[in-house]
Amino acid sequence: MSQQTARRGGAAWALVITSVAGFMAALDNLVVTTALPSIREDLGGGLHDLEWTVSAYTLTFAVLLMFGAALGDRFGRRRLFIAGLTVFTGASAAAAMAPGIDSLIAARAVQGAGAAVMMPLTLTLLTAAVPVAKRGMAYGIWGAVNGLAVASGPLVGGTLTEHISWQWIFWLNVPLGLALLPLARLRLAESHGTGAPLDVPGTLLASGGLFGIVYGLVRGPADGWTSALVLTGLFAGGALLVGFILYSTRAKNPMLPMRLFRSRAFSGINAASLLMFLGMFGSIFLLSQYMQGVLGYSPTEAGLRMLPWTGMPMLVAPIAGILADRIGGRPVVAAGLFLQALGLGYMAVVATADASYVSQLPALIVSGVGMALFFAPASHLVMSSVRPSEQGIASGANNALREVGGALGIAVMGSIFAAQGGYETGRTFVDGMRPALVTGSAVVAVAGIAALLIPTRRSTERQAQPDEPAPVLEKAAH
């Protein structure tokens, strides 16, 4: 069981520090999307280079998240949180100064590695600092701030790109990081996990497998799906992931214990998270370019016009939290996912090369409400689906699967776009975007079905073993 070894600051400081750090990491997932046309004009590169500008971050973030959580559990969560924040801040400066597209992609990969260490520890540090009775509220605020980062990413990226330069989407992290470092050192209490040895073989298998699959999906449209490198990446990546699953079922101290997935609650919310981010990230990646390259909006105008979707969590997340407290997290999350799927499907229907903003607005609003209903209770469902001693692993696993979903979404939907359309004209862009959005809608609808698999608290208590207390899944005590 994790123990707090020092009490340097209260729950309020922990909430502020971890929320701002989570905001920075989440913001950099999507802040670059509205800057992609400007980056392409300034640094060059094709579709696959733009995909890697986003995916290099999400991929390293995804594959190292669980390892980052394990490092924190073993060597000290505050210590590793500070180390990850330092790497993230330095890599942000390197990305801002990148002289070419390849160096930008490399800096983004290092950024993702720093975020992978920092991000899962925000939730475990917060859990250690906040009394049990107030954790529901703290998770809600933490989740709302992360939702705000997703919401403001396209707008922040567009505004900075248009009025200053795209480099400032990365410079923005530097003062925030420098301000957080001393606060984390002085105000966060150190805590540790079980002290289990690091799972290096598991990390290598998972990292190699995910990299191979995403590499194959990103390079497939450019190199051809039958090229040696693409086929090697897909088949080798798949084999390594199968090896990771088999290894984790037998290892003494695996990075991700497969037994956790025997819980319908843990499996359901993680499957829903992966599929939600797959559909959402791939859609935002294409829609931000559609609004600029096809409809002719400036980066700021594109970001503002996406606010009914991406900004809705700021308005709806508090209501979603209240609903989750009253009726449970499962119906709120599931309803949010089905609304997100409906919005993406509607956008695919109304999108044309000269579509008016009014015609798109209902789709953006419905998608935004759906995203807000998902974000608020999802983190609480994850943390309440496992024992307290396993919350670090659970946080790392859920964040990892979200980022894997984001990376796969950009790769899969980018591949569909490239196969059906292209950048030649507005018509060809729409021809590629429509089937990609339909795919995203279908994937998010499947996520809604996965959310319905999450059991209610009452059914979980009936199924619990006599010697094992039933986890509080939905209406957790606040």
Side-chain angles (χ1 to χ4, degrees):
M1 181 179 293
S2 61
Q3 296 178 341
Q4 216 168 345
T5 59
R7 191 172 293 277
R8 293 172 175 250
W13 274 113
L15 180 59
V16 170
I17 295 168
T18 58
S19 295
V20 174
F23 179 91
M24 292 167 61
L27 181 73
D28 270 58
N29 272 314
L30 292 176
V31 72
V32 79
T33 54
T34 43
L36 289 174
S38 297
I39 292 173
R40 186 184 185 202
E41 182 179 347
D42 195 7
L43 301 182
L47 173 64
H48 64 277
D49 294 309
L50 296 181
E51 291 178 2
W52 275 115
T53 302
V54 181
S55 295
Y57 179 85
T58 55
L59 185 58
T60 54
F61 194 1
V63 301
L64 295 177
L65 266 164
M66 288 182 286
F67 190 58
L71 285 172
D73 285 348
R74 182 167 178 80
F75 297 112
R77 291 164 178 161
R78 185 188 66 188
R79 179 183 302 171
L80 267 294
F81 173 81
I82 291 172
L85 179 59
T86 301
V87 172
F88 179 85
T89 304
S92 297
M97 296 185 290
I101 192 70
D102 292 335
S103 55
L104 175 60
I105 292 170
R108 289 280 287 165
V110 178
Q111 240 192 333
V117 176
M118 175 179 70
M119 185 65 172
L121 299 179
T122 61
L123 208 49
T124 48
L125 285 166
L126 183 61
T127 300
V130 177
V132 174
K134 296 182 178 180
R135 283 179 186 167
M137 180 179 65
Y139 292 152
I141 295 172
W142 182 90
V145 172
N146 279 268
L148 176 63
V150 174
S152 59
L155 177 58
V156 170
T159 301
L160 291 175
T161 299
E162 181 177 355
H163 296 291
I164 308 178
S165 70
W166 64 262
Q167 286 86 351
W168 276 91
I169 64 178
F170 303 116
W171 281 125
L172 179 66
N173 293 322
V174 176
L176 288 175
L178 293 177
L180 283 184
L181 284 169
L183 286 176
R185 179 70 180 85
L186 295 172
R187 296 294 182 178
L188 289 180
E190 185 62 280
S191 63
H192 295 78
T194 60
L198 297 176
D199 182 14
V200 176
T203 301
L204 294 175
L205 286 169
S207 302
L210 291 171
F211 179 82
I213 288 174
V214 175
Y215 177 86
L217 290 172
V218 171
R219 293 298 306 178
D223 296 347
W225 292 104
T226 58
S227 71
L229 282 176
V230 170
L231 290 176
T232 299
L234 293 174
F235 284 108
L240 287 172
L241 285 182
V242 171
F244 169 72
I245 294 171
L246 295 175
Y247 164 82
S248 297
T249 59
R250 296 175 172 82
K252 185 177 180 181
N253 295 294
M255 177 176 64
L256 179 59
M258 290 295 113
R259 60 178 171 75
L260 293 180
F261 290 97
R262 296 173 190 165
S263 162
R264 279 172 49 209
F266 187 80
S267 298
I269 190 59
N270 279 289
S273 296
L274 184 148
L275 295 171
M276 160 66 172
F277 273 63
L278 194 158
M280 182 187 70
F281 269 58
S283 300
I284 292 178
F285 174 77
L286 292 173
L287 284 171
S288 62
Q289 297 181 73
Y290 164 71
M291 287 193 169
Q292 294 178 71
V294 178
L295 300 183
Y297 298 125
S298 70
T300 302
E301 290 170 341
L304 286 171
R305 280 165 174 76
M306 291 182 72
L307 271 182
W309 179 14
T310 59
M312 197 59 69
M314 291 181 282
L315 300 176
V316 179
I319 301 172
I322 294 171
L323 284 174
D325 286 341
R326 292 184 177 178
I327 65 174
R330 178 182 69 168
V332 178
V333 167
L337 291 167
F338 288 127
L339 285 174
Q340 175 81 87
L342 178 63
L344 291 178
Y346 186 87
M347 179 61 77
V349 172
V350 301
T352 63
D354 58 352
S356 69
Y357 182 63
V358 172
S359 68
Q360 302 168 53
L361 192 55
L364 296 170
I365 293 174
V366 170
S367 294
V369 172
M371 186 165 66
L373 292 176
F374 171 84
F375 276 130
S379 295
H380 198 180
L381 284 171
V382 171
M383 298 300 277
S384 60
S385 68
V386 298
R387 302 185 186 98
S389 61
E390 296 171 330
Q391 286 178 338
I393 295 172
S395 172
N398 183 254
N399 279 285
L401 289 170
R402 287 185 180 196
E403 297 306 318
V404 168
L408 289 176
I410 292 169
V412 170
M413 294 175 71
S415 298
I416 295 171
F417 168 81
Q420 301 294 322
Y423 287 100
E424 292 80 12
T425 66
R427 176 68 180 273
T428 57
F429 192 99
V430 171
D431 288 343
M433 186 181 71
R434 274 182 167 170
L437 291 180
V438 170
T439 302
S441 174
V443 167
V444 177
V446 174
I449 296 172
L452 293 176
L453 297 176
I454 300 170
T456 62
R457 179 179 68 171
R458 186 174 300 172
S459 64
T460 303
E461 288 174 348
R462 287 200 303 266
Q463 296 168 8
Q465 297 298 323
D467 60 341
E468 183 178 327
V472 181
L473 290 174
E474 292 191 7
K475 298 181 183 178
H478 288 192

